[in-house]
Amino acid sequence: MSVENTSDRKRLMANLFKARFPFLYLSTWEEDRALSLIRSIAANKELIKTPRKVITWKITTGIAGEEAGKGDTKTALKALEFIENYQGPAIFVLHDFHIFFEEDGRQPDYQVIRKLRDIVSSLKQSPNPKNVVFLSPVLRLPHDLEKDITIVDFDLPTFQEIMLILEEMIEVNKQSGRIEIQLDEEEKEKLVKAALGLTLAEAENAFARAMVEDGKLSIADVEVILQEKEQIIKKTGILEFVTSKLNMADVGGLENLKRWLKKRNKSWLESAQKYGLPSPKGVLITGVPGCGKSLISKAISEMWQLPLLRLDIGKIFSGIVGSSEENMRGAIQTAEAISPCILWIDEIEKGFSGINSAGDGGTSSRIFGQFLTWMQEKEKPVFVIATANNISSLPPEMLRKGRFDEIFFVDLPTHRERVKIFKVHLNKRLKDPAVIGDFKIKKENLDFLAGLTEGFVGAEIEQVVINGLFEAFYEERSVTLTDFEKICNQFVPLSVTQAEQIKRIRDWANVRAVAATPREDRVDYIENNEEMSIGDDINSSRGGRTIDF
Ligand code: ADP
């Protein structure tokens, strides 16, 4: 897959060069890697038909080498004149040209912009093909040139590229004999896999650190590489690795959603392709706050044994780190490089609500478009879990078919689900026999507590358990059912104060979402499976369509 990516990337760029696209924009920190990619395309007759010279420009040195002749080409205008007059087939790589383009609160260099617009036709029509590539660590597009510039995604290094670096390092160290290498082929692959998502320079640093720490390189260093990667990714401020020990047994109820997820486990493997299955795109989980949306998102990572990346959508727009477009692009690239993985976008509505208001000059609209296009077209196995509390503010395009595979609604837990949630939290906390005393986590007690907590969300049930334990702790005795009963009776759940709001989101979900709770948990059964009706658990008053998976 990775090799294909490199050659796909080459072919795409070669086609843009051949088709005379005047300006390409490559946004990356990896100048050397980008330059060697451009050079390898420019020299490849099969790819590009007319091989071209690659001529670089920097503000410090002007046009590089003898190409420039005697003239001073350090200013942007002179460099552009040089490009205009150059006769041979060439690709001009201009480093850091973004400094001439507009930025918040700063005007662009209008002369440079004008000159760029003037040379468009000369680039398109010159007898020998000429293209310009802007190579810069930041993406900044001049408004007046938006139609003439094509942004080319510069993906993070592939498996093969990182493997090459590792093999080179191993070779160098073998010769010097300073570092002991204890890796077979399979272990080398694991090390490289751990470094996916890093730039070449970062991967090299991570390997170097792993080597010097104990004077050897072995499979144990996967941990060092992963730690290094976690740190680097955290520094971007947008993405974060979520390491959680939670699993599906920690989630009470929501069995329908769990089943749907279970059926899609391993769907990114080749064996799924035999069935003609596409990689799942993702799910949108909406619903009442505190009912386990974040909890289940974290548990998927353990169920599927895939890394979980959390995307902070607020930070994409915050302007604290980089431009919003770049942030989104960077996050997507990192997730794709690490794939197969899970990308969790928590409270997605915070980023994409109100995109139709003109408040931010259309930035959120553009990012939203960028995100939707990626969702629709993505081929890499990045499974997106988006969670949202306030769905009504989400733009309708987000909900259209083809974006998410399914939209689930997580409602207030039913009686049966409350039993399960109590069981999870009581089992989690009640470990010490002195605290447990005569209290038993048995069906009768759980049913009793579930009956007292109609309208409670999972987070509130957890609170009941904690507060009940405080009663016993304060009096230095073991806990009793009455402790929990007392707390339940005092507690005013949010669903009471926010009844209107919950009704509204249920109405919304009835039309658009599937219930995360399966049919069998939406009505209540007693031991011998006879139905018993409990006021709050009648199907019709709940949100989400019943489709059981
Ligand atoms: P949401 O993301 O829906 O707002 P969370 O997943 O953050 O809610 O829930 C907060 C906490 O409440 C969880 O960490 C967990 O301890 C408890 N909780 C909520 N729902 C459940 C559930 N279905 N099963 C077990 N615990 C739950």
Side-chain angles (χ1 to χ4, degrees):
M1 191 163 74
S2 317
V3 177
E4 252 172 48
N5 286 343
T6 321
S7 58
D8 279 354
R9 194 198 301 153
K10 275 192 180 176
R11 205 166 309 121
L12 170 81
M13 271 186 85
N15 286 343
L16 294 173
F17 288 139
K18 274 196 296 194
R20 296 277 192 125
F21 276 62
F23 301 127
L24 305 188
Y25 200 129
L26 266 184
S27 159
T28 174
W29 287 97
E30 298 188 274
E31 286 191 344
D32 290 345
R33 198 162 69 90
L35 262 176
S36 72
L37 174 75
I38 295 169
R39 288 209 165 98
S40 72
I41 298 169
N44 187 330
K45 262 194 199 154
E46 266 173 41
L47 275 178
I48 205 168
K49 271 208 309 237
T50 323
R52 319 159 189 211
K53 233 182 190 146
V54 176
I55 300 173
T56 60
W57 176 90
K58 285 183 189 158
I59 198 161
T60 44
T61 48
I63 296 280
E66 283 146 30
E67 294 299 338
K70 289 204 167 53
D72 183 0
T73 50
K74 280 190 195 162
T75 67
L77 284 178
K78 288 275 182 227
L80 295 176
E81 262 170 37
F82 173 86
I83 293 171
E84 193 175 20
N85 298 325
Y86 192 84
Q87 295 301 320
I91 296 171
F92 301 92
V93 180
L94 310 181
H95 290 254
D96 298 329
F97 237 62
H98 68 274
I99 55 174
F100 305 111
F101 303 158
E102 65 248 45
E103 198 187 354
D104 287 346
R106 206 197 64 201
Q107 295 291 331
D109 185 325
Y110 284 114
Q111 288 196 339
V112 173
I113 304 281
R114 185 64 257 170
K115 187 73 194 166
L116 281 167
R117 293 190 66 189
D118 288 344
I119 67 169
V120 169
S121 54
S122 107
L123 288 171
K124 283 186 176 164
Q125 286 152 19
S126 65
N128 277 315
K130 293 193 281 184
N131 315 83
V132 168
V133 179
F134 301 112
L135 182 57
S136 158
V138 266
L139 182 69
R140 203 176 289 156
L141 288 182
H143 181 64
D144 303 18
L145 284 166
E146 252 166 34
K147 300 239 177 316
D148 297 307
I149 296 183
T150 308
I151 303 171
V152 181
D153 277 326
F154 191 65
D155 294 346
L156 284 161
T158 58
F159 179 88
Q160 265 75 12
E161 286 169 306
I162 296 184
M163 181 58 101
L164 268 181
I165 285 279
L166 178 66
E167 282 178 339
E168 261 172 38
M169 290 176 83
I170 291 177
E171 206 41 55
V172 169
N173 273 292
K174 259 189 196 153
Q175 282 162 16
S176 70
R178 290 216 317 270
I179 307 283
E180 198 186 322
I181 310 287
Q182 302 174 346
L183 288 174
D184 60 25
E185 281 309 308
E186 204 177 301
E187 291 169 340
K188 256 199 293 186
E189 278 181 19
K190 283 194 176 141
L191 226 54
V192 170
K193 265 205 176 136
L196 284 176
L198 300 179
T199 63
L200 277 190
E202 286 164 350
E204 195 171 351
N205 285 342
F207 293 140
R209 199 191 123 200
M211 283 178 176
V212 296
E213 258 187 7
D214 55 359
K216 66 177 181 214
L217 192 63
S218 69
I219 188 67
D221 287 317
V222 164
E223 272 310 305
V224 180
I225 310 284
L226 286 176
Q227 274 170 16
E228 191 80 12
K229 182 157 86 175
E230 243 170 66
Q231 286 308 314
I232 289 168
I233 285 176
K234 207 171 183 175
K235 262 192 239 151
T236 63
I238 310 285
L239 284 176
E240 184 193 354
F241 267 107
V242 181
T243 39
S244 120
K245 295 205 163 46
L246 291 167
N247 61 48
M248 285 299 166
D250 294 303
V251 185
L254 314 184
E255 301 296 338
N256 202 28
L257 174 53
K258 283 184 194 168
R259 265 177 238 155
W260 188 93
L261 290 166
K262 201 168 165 191
K263 284 186 187 164
R264 278 148 190 85
N265 192 2
K266 300 196 167 53
S267 54
W268 52 90
L269 299 179
E270 263 171 43
S271 49
Q273 286 167 18
K274 269 197 221 153
Y275 288 79
L277 290 170
S279 282
K281 291 172 188 296
V283 273
L284 174 60
I285 309 176
T286 73
V288 181
C291 284
K293 297 186 293 296
S294 312
L295 184 69
I296 204 162
S297 306
K298 292 181 205 154
I300 300 174
S301 174
E302 199 274 340
M303 183 194 239
W304 285 3
Q305 293 290 302
L306 289 185
L308 176 65
L309 283 168
R310 182 172 175 273
L311 172 74
D312 192 330
I313 196 89
K315 293 234 178 86
I316 294 252
F317 295 99
S318 70
I320 299 168
V321 273
S323 78
S324 309
E325 272 98 340
E326 249 177 283
N327 288 339
M328 192 52 143
R329 188 179 301 274
I332 288 174
Q333 278 179 351
T334 306
E336 292 203 327
I338 293 172
S339 66
C341 69
I342 304 166
L343 181 67
W344 172 28
I345 310 178
D346 194 14
E347 300 193 69
I348 193 168
E349 75 273 28
K350 288 210 171 136
F352 295 137
S353 58
I355 59 155
N356 297 322
S357 64
D360 62 357
T363 305
S364 16
S365 256
R366 273 203 311 278
I367 308 290
F368 178 64
Q370 194 184 350
F371 174 74
L372 286 189
T373 311
W374 175 69
M375 276 298 285
Q376 184 114 5
E377 292 171 3
K378 80 184 156 69
E379 283 173 3
K380 299 258 177 75
V382 176
F383 183 80
V384 177
I385 305 172
T387 47
N389 289 330
N390 188 1
I391 48 256
S392 57
S393 61
L394 278 175
E397 298 96 299
M398 176 86 88
L399 313 171
R400 215 175 279 154
K401 278 277 166 217
R403 268 71 199 244
F404 291 98
D405 297 309
E406 204 60 79
I407 301 173
F408 280 96
F409 181 70
V410 177
D411 205 336
L412 295 171
T414 60
H415 180 95
R416 280 193 130 206
E417 289 182 312
R418 294 196 298 275
V419 165
K420 292 176 190 170
I421 299 174
F422 265 114
K423 201 167 166 187
V424 166
H425 289 286
L426 288 167
N427 274 324
K428 197 153 117 192
R429 293 184 193 271
L430 288 179
K431 302 269 187 220
D432 190 319
V435 178
I436 299 171
D438 294 333
F439 179 76
K440 294 223 162 32
I441 307 175
K442 58 179 181 183
K443 184 164 185 331
E444 199 184 312
N445 287 345
L446 294 170
D447 257 337
F448 175 69
L449 291 172
L452 292 176
T453 44
E454 193 179 311
F456 284 45
V457 298
E460 288 166 335
I461 293 177
E462 182 183 19
Q463 212 47 52
V464 166
V465 171
I466 294 173
N467 291 356
L469 284 169
F470 266 119
E471 295 289 313
F473 171 71
Y474 178 66
E475 292 176 12
E476 297 179 28
R477 56 169 173 78
S478 40
V479 77
T480 64
L481 186 62
T482 323
D483 291 326
F484 299 123
E485 183 186 2
K486 187 174 146 198
I487 303 297
C488 291
N489 289 332
Q490 290 167 351
F491 213 104
V492 182
L494 276 179
S495 65
V496 172
T497 47
Q498 299 187 352
E500 264 303 295
Q501 219 168 325
I502 289 177
K503 184 178 172 327
R504 226 174 320 125
I505 55 179
R506 277 178 168 174
D507 290 346
W508 181 95
N510 274 331
V511 191
R512 298 170 184 86
V514 174
T517 307
R519 197 180 310 264
E520 77 264 18
D521 280 349
R522 296 180 107 193
V523 282
D524 286 275
Y525 294 85
I526 49 173
E527 206 89 278
N528 59 5
N529 270 0
E530 241 177 81
E531 271 186 42
M532 80 183 183
S533 67
I534 290 197
D536 70 323
D537 291 335
I538 302 165
N539 270 336
S540 60
S541 68
R542 298 182 52 81
R545 285 171 294 134
T546 316
I547 302 175
D548 287 349
F549 292 104

